[in-house]
Amino acid sequence: MDISRNRMRSFAGAGTIAAALAFGLTAAPAAPAAPVPAAGPAVPEARAQAQAPAGSPVAINGQLKVCGTKLCNQFGKPIQLRGMSTHGIGWFPGCYNNGSLDVLANDWKADVLRVSMYVDAVDNGYLKDPVKYTNQVHDLIEKATARGMYVIVDWHMLGDGNDATLGDGDPWTHIAPAKKFFKEIAERHRSKNNLLFEIANEPNGKNWQGNRVDWWTVKSYAEDLIPHIRQFDPDTPVLVGTPDWASFGLSGPTDESEVVNNPLQIQNIMYTFHFYAATHGQRYLDGLSRAADKLPVFVSEFGTQNAAGEGSNNFPMTQRYLDVMAAKKISWVNWNYSDDHRSGAAFKTGTCSAGGPGPGTGSLKEAGVWVRDKIRTADNFPTN
């Protein structure tokens, strides 16, 4: 999405991305769709052993699965998840502890936590210290699981492919570390029934050859990575980014038809869409609505501000999105659960270092107050 250039620089505080492509990748091979391999022991039985707090979203809905164009619970009923995304866990680790997650689960009544781990080293991401950041993800998965929330494990690739260094918006650039990371996460947590894997946050810009990172590029990446993950965990739904900053191409030269006409031939997957309401108006909302009629869509990131997560809030436009998503049972996650100084962060600056947030709205910015109210609206999780 066209949030990348401003947000990358302002979030990371860095001017450029490292010039060398990691792990020696020189091209994005057009990998054919591979069959999902059989894997391991009786995973459904192992998952059934996982216990969530009574009445929690996971206790009610259990293992999720994509059915048609919807996300469905263990009873095969379409549901809508609503929750929050961390900021980059390498930037605001102090915001994600037992206290803040108690608030998210019990006061905000969130269904899902998106754990956003940036990829590039310049972003305090995985490539800077794979062991440290993988362990941080493990820890947050355990914390959210103990509170009965679902967890989106977000491979938060964001690099701006329009900068002098090409390729950082291309998911193929770091395919080898992505395979290593998701293998470790899938192996460790395969007994859990509350995960979703988001394998490419915001594909964007141009690859190292100067060509647009289009749907064919992302599709071939997904066809290579998803069967690899499913060797270790065959059941967890996978969220796949869409071109031009997860906009279904609407922030680039196309629209949702690029994906709709050439969907992945892999089961139990969803396509992501991101929007920022002060920038992305009716044309984007119409594109989301059309796409959701044809494909399973998950809005894995949105904000009430501009595309950089800054500026004034456009709550009326955001509400129009929320109305469409409610009507079509499109799950959503808001950016972001931190005390970053930008208006898109839920907490007032300094909240985390002061031991917060606490219950209620006293530590929240305007956007935090508004989205908390939307999340707290009673869920309708059908069970029969």
Side-chain angles (χ1 to χ4, degrees), residues 193-214:
N193 63 351
N194 65 321
L195 299 188
L196 301 99
F197 298 142
E198 184 171 359
I199 61 172
N201 168 56
E202 290 184 350
N204 69 85
K206 298 179 180 179
N207 64 19
W208 69 280
Q209 295 174 312
N211 299 319
R212 173 176 172 257
V213 176
D214 59 9

PDB file of all heavy atoms in Angstrom, residues 193-214:
ATOM      1  N   ASN A 193      -4.276 -24.285  18.524  1.00  0.00           N
ATOM      2  CA  ASN A 193      -5.377 -24.118  17.573  1.00  0.00           C
ATOM      3  C   ASN A 193      -5.742 -22.658  17.364  1.00  0.00           C
ATOM      4  O   ASN A 193      -6.838 -22.354  16.889  1.00  0.00           O
ATOM      5  CB  ASN A 193      -6.609 -24.891  18.060  1.00  0.00           C
ATOM      6  CG  ASN A 193      -7.146 -24.369  19.391  1.00  0.00           C
ATOM      7  OD1 ASN A 193      -6.514 -23.533  20.040  1.00  0.00           O
ATOM      8  ND2 ASN A 193      -8.293 -24.887  19.816  1.00  0.00           N
ATOM      9  N   ASN A 194      -4.832 -21.741  17.717  1.00  0.00           N
ATOM     10  CA  ASN A 194      -5.192 -20.316  17.697  1.00  0.00           C
ATOM     11  C   ASN A 194      -4.270 -19.462  16.839  1.00  0.00           C
ATOM     12  O   ASN A 194      -4.204 -18.248  17.026  1.00  0.00           O
ATOM     13  CB  ASN A 194      -5.195 -19.765  19.124  1.00  0.00           C
ATOM     14  CG  ASN A 194      -3.814 -19.786  19.775  1.00  0.00           C
ATOM     15  OD1 ASN A 194      -3.057 -20.743  19.595  1.00  0.00           O
ATOM     16  ND2 ASN A 194      -3.484 -18.760  20.539  1.00  0.00           N
ATOM     17  N   LEU A 195      -3.574 -20.053  15.869  1.00  0.00           N
ATOM     18  CA  LEU A 195      -2.626 -19.280  15.068  1.00  0.00           C
ATOM     19  C   LEU A 195      -3.145 -19.027  13.661  1.00  0.00           C
ATOM     20  O   LEU A 195      -3.964 -19.775  13.126  1.00  0.00           O
ATOM     21  CB  LEU A 195      -1.282 -20.012  14.972  1.00  0.00           C
ATOM     22  CG  LEU A 195      -0.525 -20.283  16.265  1.00  0.00           C
ATOM     23  CD1 LEU A 195       0.862 -20.827  15.953  1.00  0.00           C
ATOM     24  CD2 LEU A 195      -0.433 -19.051  17.138  1.00  0.00           C
ATOM     25  N   LEU A 196      -2.654 -17.925  13.083  1.00  0.00           N
ATOM     26  CA  LEU A 196      -2.740 -17.662  11.654  1.00  0.00           C
ATOM     27  C   LEU A 196      -1.361 -17.161  11.238  1.00  0.00           C
ATOM     28  O   LEU A 196      -0.707 -16.437  11.992  1.00  0.00           O
ATOM     29  CB  LEU A 196      -3.803 -16.609  11.323  1.00  0.00           C
ATOM     30  CG  LEU A 196      -5.246 -16.922  11.762  1.00  0.00           C
ATOM     31  CD1 LEU A 196      -5.553 -16.205  13.071  1.00  0.00           C
ATOM     32  CD2 LEU A 196      -6.241 -16.495  10.686  1.00  0.00           C
ATOM     33  N   PHE A 197      -0.918 -17.529  10.058  1.00  0.00           N
ATOM     34  CA  PHE A 197       0.389 -17.118   9.556  1.00  0.00           C
ATOM     35  C   PHE A 197       0.213 -16.098   8.437  1.00  0.00           C
ATOM     36  O   PHE A 197      -0.419 -16.387   7.420  1.00  0.00           O
ATOM     37  CB  PHE A 197       1.182 -18.314   9.019  1.00  0.00           C
ATOM     38  CG  PHE A 197       1.501 -19.366  10.045  1.00  0.00           C
ATOM     39  CD1 PHE A 197       1.456 -20.706   9.705  1.00  0.00           C
ATOM     40  CD2 PHE A 197       1.844 -19.025  11.344  1.00  0.00           C
ATOM     41  CE1 PHE A 197       1.764 -21.690  10.637  1.00  0.00           C
ATOM     42  CE2 PHE A 197       2.147 -19.990  12.289  1.00  0.00           C
ATOM     43  CZ  PHE A 197       2.105 -21.333  11.933  1.00  0.00           C
ATOM     44  N   GLU A 198       0.773 -14.888   8.627  1.00  0.00           N
ATOM     45  CA  GLU A 198       0.748 -13.854   7.587  1.00  0.00           C
ATOM     46  C   GLU A 198       2.138 -13.794   6.969  1.00  0.00           C
ATOM     47  O   GLU A 198       3.088 -13.321   7.590  1.00  0.00           O
ATOM     48  CB  GLU A 198       0.350 -12.506   8.175  1.00  0.00           C
ATOM     49  CG  GLU A 198       0.207 -11.415   7.134  1.00  0.00           C
ATOM     50  CD  GLU A 198      -0.388 -10.123   7.682  1.00  0.00           C
ATOM     51  OE1 GLU A 198      -0.714 -10.060   8.885  1.00  0.00           O
ATOM     52  OE2 GLU A 198      -0.510  -9.163   6.889  1.00  0.00           O
ATOM     53  N   ILE A 199       2.255 -14.248   5.720  1.00  0.00           N
ATOM     54  CA  ILE A 199       3.573 -14.547   5.164  1.00  0.00           C
ATOM     55  C   ILE A 199       4.199 -13.403   4.375  1.00  0.00           C
ATOM     56  O   ILE A 199       5.371 -13.510   3.983  1.00  0.00           O
ATOM     57  CB  ILE A 199       3.518 -15.813   4.274  1.00  0.00           C
ATOM     58  CG1 ILE A 199       2.562 -15.619   3.093  1.00  0.00           C
ATOM     59  CG2 ILE A 199       3.123 -17.027   5.104  1.00  0.00           C
ATOM     60  CD1 ILE A 199       2.597 -16.754   2.076  1.00  0.00           C
ATOM     61  N   ALA A 200       3.476 -12.327   4.129  1.00  0.00           N
ATOM     62  CA  ALA A 200       4.053 -11.199   3.382  1.00  0.00           C
ATOM     63  C   ALA A 200       3.213  -9.967   3.669  1.00  0.00           C
ATOM     64  O   ALA A 200       2.171  -9.762   3.050  1.00  0.00           O
ATOM     65  CB  ALA A 200       4.094 -11.484   1.881  1.00  0.00           C
ATOM     66  N   ASN A 201       3.669  -9.118   4.574  1.00  0.00           N
ATOM     67  CA  ASN A 201       2.887  -7.990   5.050  1.00  0.00           C
ATOM     68  C   ASN A 201       2.395  -7.085   3.918  1.00  0.00           C
ATOM     69  O   ASN A 201       1.200  -6.987   3.693  1.00  0.00           O
ATOM     70  CB  ASN A 201       3.721  -7.181   6.041  1.00  0.00           C
ATOM     71  CG  ASN A 201       3.116  -5.844   6.385  1.00  0.00           C
ATOM     72  OD1 ASN A 201       1.984  -5.762   6.825  1.00  0.00           O
ATOM     73  ND2 ASN A 201       3.884  -4.779   6.162  1.00  0.00           N
ATOM     74  N   GLU A 202       3.297  -6.435   3.217  1.00  0.00           N
ATOM     75  CA  GLU A 202       2.887  -5.469   2.191  1.00  0.00           C
ATOM     76  C   GLU A 202       3.810  -5.537   0.972  1.00  0.00           C
ATOM     77  O   GLU A 202       4.731  -4.733   0.829  1.00  0.00           O
ATOM     78  CB  GLU A 202       2.870  -4.046   2.762  1.00  0.00           C
ATOM     79  CG  GLU A 202       1.741  -3.827   3.756  1.00  0.00           C
ATOM     80  CD  GLU A 202       1.658  -2.385   4.247  1.00  0.00           C
ATOM     81  OE1 GLU A 202       2.585  -1.598   3.966  1.00  0.00           O
ATOM     82  OE2 GLU A 202       0.667  -2.055   4.927  1.00  0.00           O
ATOM     83  N   PRO A 203       3.592  -6.492   0.077  1.00  0.00           N
ATOM     84  CA  PRO A 203       4.381  -6.506  -1.165  1.00  0.00           C
ATOM     85  C   PRO A 203       4.228  -5.180  -1.887  1.00  0.00           C
ATOM     86  O   PRO A 203       3.123  -4.645  -1.984  1.00  0.00           O
ATOM     87  CB  PRO A 203       3.751  -7.664  -1.959  1.00  0.00           C
ATOM     88  CG  PRO A 203       3.087  -8.521  -0.924  1.00  0.00           C
ATOM     89  CD  PRO A 203       2.600  -7.572   0.130  1.00  0.00           C
ATOM     90  N   ASN A 204       5.340  -4.654  -2.413  1.00  0.00           N
ATOM     91  CA  ASN A 204       5.239  -3.320  -3.012  1.00  0.00           C
ATOM     92  C   ASN A 204       6.445  -3.032  -3.893  1.00  0.00           C
ATOM     93  O   ASN A 204       7.456  -3.736  -3.870  1.00  0.00           O
ATOM     94  CB  ASN A 204       5.142  -2.251  -1.920  1.00  0.00           C
ATOM     95  CG  ASN A 204       6.417  -2.088  -1.134  1.00  0.00           C
ATOM     96  OD1 ASN A 204       7.334  -1.363  -1.529  1.00  0.00           O
ATOM     97  ND2 ASN A 204       6.514  -2.775   0.012  1.00  0.00           N
ATOM     98  N   GLY A 205       6.340  -1.955  -4.643  1.00  0.00           N
ATOM     99  CA  GLY A 205       7.475  -1.393  -5.384  1.00  0.00           C
ATOM    100  C   GLY A 205       7.965  -2.280  -6.509  1.00  0.00           C
ATOM    101  O   GLY A 205       7.188  -2.909  -7.225  1.00  0.00           O
ATOM    102  N   LYS A 206       9.287  -2.348  -6.633  1.00  0.00           N
ATOM    103  CA  LYS A 206       9.925  -3.078  -7.722  1.00  0.00           C
ATOM    104  C   LYS A 206      10.923  -4.079  -7.180  1.00  0.00           C
ATOM    105  O   LYS A 206      11.508  -3.881  -6.116  1.00  0.00           O
ATOM    106  CB  LYS A 206      10.622  -2.107  -8.677  1.00  0.00           C
ATOM    107  CG  LYS A 206       9.657  -1.131  -9.351  1.00  0.00           C
ATOM    108  CD  LYS A 206      10.393  -0.163 -10.264  1.00  0.00           C
ATOM    109  CE  LYS A 206       9.404   0.804 -10.918  1.00  0.00           C
ATOM    110  NZ  LYS A 206      10.093   1.776 -11.811  1.00  0.00           N
ATOM    111  N   ASN A 207      11.108  -5.166  -7.926  1.00  0.00           N
ATOM    112  CA  ASN A 207      12.108  -6.146  -7.519  1.00  0.00           C
ATOM    113  C   ASN A 207      13.498  -5.682  -7.935  1.00  0.00           C
ATOM    114  O   ASN A 207      13.668  -4.581  -8.478  1.00  0.00           O
ATOM    115  CB  ASN A 207      11.770  -7.531  -8.091  1.00  0.00           C
ATOM    116  CG  ASN A 207      11.820  -7.569  -9.625  1.00  0.00           C
ATOM    117  OD1 ASN A 207      12.422  -6.709 -10.275  1.00  0.00           O
ATOM    118  ND2 ASN A 207      11.172  -8.557 -10.203  1.00  0.00           N
ATOM    119  N   TRP A 208      14.484  -6.510  -7.681  1.00  0.00           N
ATOM    120  CA  TRP A 208      15.872  -6.095  -7.935  1.00  0.00           C
ATOM    121  C   TRP A 208      16.149  -5.863  -9.418  1.00  0.00           C
ATOM    122  O   TRP A 208      17.099  -5.165  -9.786  1.00  0.00           O
ATOM    123  CB  TRP A 208      16.840  -7.139  -7.379  1.00  0.00           C
ATOM    124  CG  TRP A 208      16.838  -8.439  -8.122  1.00  0.00           C
ATOM    125  CD1 TRP A 208      15.945  -9.464  -8.002  1.00  0.00           C
ATOM    126  CD2 TRP A 208      17.794  -8.850  -9.101  1.00  0.00           C
ATOM    127  NE1 TRP A 208      16.259 -10.482  -8.856  1.00  0.00           N
ATOM    128  CE2 TRP A 208      17.416 -10.142  -9.539  1.00  0.00           C
ATOM    129  CE3 TRP A 208      18.928  -8.274  -9.656  1.00  0.00           C
ATOM    130  CZ2 TRP A 208      18.124 -10.851 -10.500  1.00  0.00           C
ATOM    131  CZ3 TRP A 208      19.641  -8.992 -10.619  1.00  0.00           C
ATOM    132  CH2 TRP A 208      19.243 -10.255 -11.022  1.00  0.00           C
ATOM    133  N   GLN A 209      15.279  -6.399 -10.281  1.00  0.00           N
ATOM    134  CA  GLN A 209      15.437  -6.185 -11.719  1.00  0.00           C
ATOM    135  C   GLN A 209      14.720  -4.931 -12.199  1.00  0.00           C
ATOM    136  O   GLN A 209      14.808  -4.595 -13.374  1.00  0.00           O
ATOM    137  CB  GLN A 209      14.894  -7.404 -12.475  1.00  0.00           C
ATOM    138  CG  GLN A 209      15.678  -8.686 -12.208  1.00  0.00           C
ATOM    139  CD  GLN A 209      15.025  -9.891 -12.846  1.00  0.00           C
ATOM    140  OE1 GLN A 209      13.816 -10.098 -12.712  1.00  0.00           O
ATOM    141  NE2 GLN A 209      15.814 -10.681 -13.552  1.00  0.00           N
ATOM    142  N   GLY A 210      14.023  -4.250 -11.296  1.00  0.00           N
ATOM    143  CA  GLY A 210      13.312  -3.038 -11.665  1.00  0.00           C
ATOM    144  C   GLY A 210      11.903  -3.261 -12.152  1.00  0.00           C
ATOM    145  O   GLY A 210      11.266  -2.328 -12.661  1.00  0.00           O
ATOM    146  N   ASN A 211      11.388  -4.494 -12.022  1.00  0.00           N
ATOM    147  CA  ASN A 211      10.024  -4.791 -12.444  1.00  0.00           C
ATOM    148  C   ASN A 211       9.065  -4.685 -11.258  1.00  0.00           C
ATOM    149  O   ASN A 211       9.426  -4.962 -10.113  1.00  0.00           O
ATOM    150  CB  ASN A 211       9.955  -6.206 -13.026  1.00  0.00           C
ATOM    151  CG  ASN A 211      10.847  -6.366 -14.242  1.00  0.00           C
ATOM    152  OD1 ASN A 211      10.910  -5.474 -15.087  1.00  0.00           O
ATOM    153  ND2 ASN A 211      11.546  -7.487 -14.329  1.00  0.00           N
ATOM    154  N   ARG A 212       7.835  -4.321 -11.543  1.00  0.00           N
ATOM    155  CA  ARG A 212       6.828  -4.203 -10.485  1.00  0.00           C
ATOM    156  C   ARG A 212       6.649  -5.522  -9.744  1.00  0.00           C
ATOM    157  O   ARG A 212       6.635  -6.588 -10.356  1.00  0.00           O
ATOM    158  CB  ARG A 212       5.493  -3.763 -11.083  1.00  0.00           C
ATOM    159  CG  ARG A 212       4.328  -3.766 -10.090  1.00  0.00           C
ATOM    160  CD  ARG A 212       3.052  -3.234 -10.725  1.00  0.00           C
ATOM    161  NE  ARG A 212       1.900  -3.406  -9.833  1.00  0.00           N
ATOM    162  CZ  ARG A 212       0.975  -4.361  -9.975  1.00  0.00           C
ATOM    163  NH1 ARG A 212       1.052  -5.200 -11.008  1.00  0.00           N
ATOM    164  NH2 ARG A 212      -0.023  -4.456  -9.120  1.00  0.00           N
ATOM    165  N   VAL A 213       6.504  -5.436  -8.434  1.00  0.00           N
ATOM    166  CA  VAL A 213       6.163  -6.607  -7.638  1.00  0.00           C
ATOM    167  C   VAL A 213       4.660  -6.834  -7.807  1.00  0.00           C
ATOM    168  O   VAL A 213       3.841  -6.268  -7.079  1.00  0.00           O
ATOM    169  CB  VAL A 213       6.548  -6.408  -6.153  1.00  0.00           C
ATOM    170  CG1 VAL A 213       6.112  -7.596  -5.315  1.00  0.00           C
ATOM    171  CG2 VAL A 213       8.056  -6.202  -6.020  1.00  0.00           C
ATOM    172  N   ASP A 214       4.318  -7.639  -8.795  1.00  0.00           N
ATOM    173  CA  ASP A 214       2.924  -7.844  -9.161  1.00  0.00           C
ATOM    174  C   ASP A 214       2.375  -9.101  -8.486  1.00  0.00           C
ATOM    175  O   ASP A 214       3.050  -9.753  -7.683  1.00  0.00           O
ATOM    176  CB  ASP A 214       2.778  -7.918 -10.676  1.00  0.00           C
ATOM    177  CG  ASP A 214       3.610  -9.047 -11.298  1.00  0.00           C
ATOM    178  OD1 ASP A 214       4.167  -9.889 -10.553  1.00  0.00           O
ATOM    179  OD2 ASP A 214       3.695  -9.100 -12.530  1.00  0.00           O
TER     180      ASP A 214
END
